[in-house]
Amino acid sequence: NKMDKEGANPDRIKTALSEYGIIPEDWGGETQFVHISALTGDGVDELLEGIALQAEIMELRADPKGPAQGVVIESRIEPGRGPVATILIQTGTLNKGDTIVAGETFGRARSLVDSTGKQLKEAGPSTPVQILGLADAPSPGDLMDVAKNEREAKKVAENRVEELSLIHISEPTRRTP
């Protein structure tokens, strides 16, 4: 990233990474290096092509069957809309109306919106989707699962809250002199 910055030196980065066993393809290794600029967008198409090629070579496939599982990418509370979470579906298929648990909160997926703003009825693996219908905004990195019903979702969310509170209780407190 930041290949458009003055003084950018990709060979220095490659050398530093090679010390950790990450060898670029152009040096005879197996790691793809793609020069991109987040500011101008240069190289993003090449990065996406490289990811697609690598997934094909490695035969990476996610199973679209079964209940969805994913991870929260971002979330916020929007006036008039309530909690909005962007979830990356990793396996299974999320359907509009599914009862979901995301981190310590739960709800029904009332609305699924893709990255272009289009309303979806379902979202399969590797699809980022914006969800409305959660009781609260989950934290980025939280896991999202589909539950059988609202009672099960509430129980899972409560268990996650309890587990986190036990972790915080068992952590040693720091004393300042």
Side-chain angles (χ1 to χ4, degrees), residues 64-123:
K65 296 182 176 100
Q69 292 183 317
V71 64
V72 177
I73 299 171
E74 64 180 358
S75 69
R76 63 191 170 282
I77 297 179
E78 291 185 5
R81 294 178 77 195
V84 177
T86 302
I87 310 284
L88 177 62
I89 306 300
Q90 295 174 314
T91 63
T93 298
L94 179 65
N95 297 294
K96 184 177 176 180
D98 281 351
T99 301
I100 58 174
V101 181
E104 302 169 34
T105 189
F106 67 96
R108 186 171 301 278
R110 290 189 334 248
S111 173
L112 305 177
V113 181
D114 73 5
S115 59
T116 64
K118 179 182 169 190
Q119 291 282 334
L120 302 175
K121 291 182 181 179
E122 63 181 24

Side-chain angles (χ1 to χ4, degrees), residues 67-68 94 97-101 106-108 145-156:
L94 179 65
D98 281 351
T99 301
I100 58 174
V101 181
F106 67 96
R108 186 171 301 278
D145 294 290
V146 172
K148 292 178 186 174
N149 54 44
E150 192 171 323
R151 185 171 4 128
E152 181 184 296
K154 184 176 182 179
K155 188 175 183 176
V156 170

